[in-house]
Amino acid sequence: MFHNYLMAALRNLARNRLYAGINIGGLAVGFAAAILIGLFVRDEFSYDSFIPGHRHVYRVATFRVLPGRGPIFVPVVPPDVAAWIKLDFPKVQSAARLASEQVGLRRGNFEASEYVAWADPSIFEVLPLKVFAGNLRTALQRPDAIVLTRQMARKYFGRDNPIGETIEINRQHSMQVTAVLMDLPSNTHLDARIFASGRAAYSRLAVLDAMPGPAIQKPWNTFTYIRLSPAASIDELARALPDFVDRHLQFPGA
């Protein structure tokens, strides 16, 4: 019975080839579009999910409300915010900052311009990225420490594991490779490929910390990340943030 139905359908398609081609082609295009949309949505929802415990990690951002305009989202905060959050909220397990800066990176006769993410030593406690070689817990403790992805390690050293080797920043400061990270996936907001210790006196973080005056008058260009304890509630923390801002971020004389 099924064979008869199949043969009848094929004969009908053969008699109406143009009509059949349009319908089959449209169906194929529809299926392909649905599959592509599904893959795109899945990729969007998987952003940063490769980070262990990513559900407890948050980036502190700023909403600025200007007269006559809607709120503006800014993904950075003043450099002092990380320390304040750690002190004011015991359920924040760790906090760390990133401040990117374009520098000249040189190894031997090879030199190129790169963006370096100056980072607090605790950055890999908040964002435990996948490591290829080295110990991330201690990787940025030294002020001359630098961490590369495998891609950057191959670019400057020609191999995946150059731990212990040195590289120069701006032809002035010698940094020692202390760890190598696995290359970051495409579905992440992190675009850093080089992490350098913020404890260096010439680092972007150290320069910001040394600036005089209140925090609100310092450049707002620091990415700040926090990791909450598993029992903590992000909603509770969010409700406490307005008072937190009022305590710490007031203009002088306000």
Side-chain angles (χ1 to χ4, degrees), residues 31-252:
F31 272 120
I35 292 171
L36 290 174
I37 292 171
L39 291 173
F40 174 78
V41 171
R42 186 180 70 172
D43 183 70
E44 289 293 300
F45 277 99
S46 69
Y47 254 63
D48 297 322
S49 61
F50 70 96
I51 299 173
H54 65 277
R55 296 185 184 278
H56 304 295
V57 178
Y58 298 88
R59 184 176 64 182
V60 185
T62 304
F63 277 96
R64 294 183 178 179
V65 180
L66 302 177
R69 300 178 58 182
I72 300 174
F73 172 79
V74 184
V76 290
V77 293
D80 306 70
V81 169
W84 293 338
I85 287 181
K86 193 72 174 66
L87 288 174
D88 287 15
F89 301 105
K91 291 185 179 179
V92 174
Q93 286 186 341
S94 53
R97 303 168 297 169
L98 289 176
S100 294
E101 182 181 22
Q102 191 171 17
V103 302
L105 211 61
R106 183 173 71 169
R107 165 67 178 171
N109 294 324
F110 180 75
E111 186 173 12
S113 178
E114 305 283 1
Y115 278 97
V116 168
W118 297 101
D120 289 322
S122 57
I123 188 64
F124 297 123
E125 296 176 15
V126 183
L127 303 173
L129 303 178
K130 293 182 179 180
V131 63
F132 175 75
N135 184 356
L136 289 186
R137 287 188 174 274
T138 59
L140 295 179
Q141 294 292 337
R142 295 170 39 178
D144 64 341
I146 193 168
V147 174
L148 310 175
T149 61
R150 291 180 69 185
Q151 177 188 7
M152 289 294 104
R154 289 191 295 268
K155 179 177 179 178
Y156 285 92
F157 296 92
R159 60 186 189 280
D160 291 337
N161 187 0
I163 289 181
E165 299 288 337
T166 58
I167 193 168
E168 287 184 348
I169 287 182
N170 293 332
R171 296 190 176 187
Q172 297 177 347
H173 312 293
S174 180
M175 308 288 285
Q176 187 176 80
V177 180
T178 54
V180 177
L181 299 170
M182 299 294 292
D183 291 333
L184 300 181
S186 60
N187 57 338
T188 178
H189 78 285
L190 291 170
D191 59 359
R193 301 295 181 266
I194 303 168
F195 297 84
S197 176
R199 289 185 170 176
Y202 45 85
S203 75
R204 181 62 179 160
L205 288 179
V207 171
L208 290 171
D209 288 338
M211 284 185 176
I216 199 168
Q217 294 181 350
K218 295 182 181 181
W220 290 42
N221 57 4
T222 305
F223 294 94
T224 298
Y225 297 86
I226 61 172
R227 176 176 286 272
L228 299 182
S229 63
S233 167
I234 186 60
D235 294 330
E236 180 182 341
L237 178 62
R239 287 193 296 270
L241 284 179
D243 290 337
F244 171 85
V245 172
D246 289 341
R247 286 196 305 273
H248 294 289
L249 292 173
Q250 290 293 331
F251 281 102

